[in-house]
Amino acid sequence: MTARQSVLESPLHGTDIGKLFPVVMPEGSDSASLDNAVEFLFQSGRSCPRDGDDHAEAWSGNPDMDEEKRAFYEYHAS
C-alpha cells in the first residue's frame, strides 16, 4: 500500500486523500496491516464481498454464523 499511495484516488476523498496516509501503519503486525488496507478500501467506496467465500469478516461472537464457518475461522485464527 505504501508503494501505491502516490497513485491512489477516490471520488469520496478527492484532494484530501493524502490526509489518510499512511494507509498501513508501519509499526503494525501483518494482520493489522491487512485490516488497515481492507478498511481503507471499504471506506473509499470498494465493496466487501459477502458471498460465503469471504475471508475477511468478523466471526468471533457472531451469533448468526453457522458452526462450520465459525470452525473455519477459529482454525485459521491461530
Side-chain angles (χ1 to χ4, degrees):
M1 291 300 292
T2 302
R4 302 289 185 252
Q5 284 182 172
S6 64
V7 295
L8 290 175
E9 57 184 51
S10 169
L12 297 175
H13 302 298
T15 58
D16 289 333
I17 197 165
K19 294 178 180 177
L20 303 175
F21 300 159
V23 172
V24 174
M25 302 308 290
E27 68 278 356
S29 65
D30 289 347
S31 58
S33 296
L34 175 62
D35 185 55
N36 292 158
V38 170
E39 182 68 20
F40 173 80
L41 293 171
F42 181 73
Q43 293 297 332
S44 295
R46 295 285 187 129
S47 64
C48 190
R50 306 295 292 188
D51 62 4
D53 293 327
D54 178 15
H55 291 186
E57 66 178 299
W59 61 272
S60 181
N62 181 347
D64 300 321
M65 185 176 289
D66 68 71
E67 290 303 313
E68 186 174 322
K69 193 170 189 179
R70 183 185 315 283
F72 169 85
Y73 286 117
E74 186 172 7
Y75 174 81
H76 289 283
S78 61

